[in-house]
Amino acid sequence: MISHNNIAQLISAALPNAKVQVEDPNQDGQHFSAIVVAEQFEGLSMIKQHKLVYGAIQEHLDTGAIHALQLKTYSLSQWQSMQVQVL
C-alpha cells in the first residue's frame, strides 16, 4: 500500500520545486486526489501537465497500488491568476 505522503514525494522528486498536495479522501489507500503547481507546466497543455505527473507514479499505477488519482495541475502563472486577493 502507498500513502498520500509517498505519492507527494514521488511527484516532488520528478518536479523539483513544485507545490504538491495529495490527499486520500476515502482513506482507502487507493483513491487519491492531488493538486500540483509547477513552473515546469508553463506553456504546456493540461494533458502534457498530467503526463508529467503520471510519469512520476506510473509504476504504482501499473501495479495497482494506486487505483485512481484525481489530478489538478497548474503552472505558476495559472495558479497566481486563480488566487483571489482579499482586501
Side-chain angles (χ1 to χ4, degrees), residues 47-64:
I47 291 172
K48 289 182 180 180
Q49 293 175 12
H50 286 205
K51 283 184 176 184
L52 288 174
V53 175
Y54 285 125
I57 61 168
Q58 191 63 52
E59 176 184 339
H60 300 284
L61 291 166
D62 291 345
T63 64

Side-chain angles (χ1 to χ4, degrees), residues 27-41:
Q27 297 181 355
D28 64 3
Q30 291 186 321
H31 299 84
F32 299 93
S33 63
I35 298 172
V36 182
V37 180
E39 59 188 40
Q40 294 92 330
F41 295 157

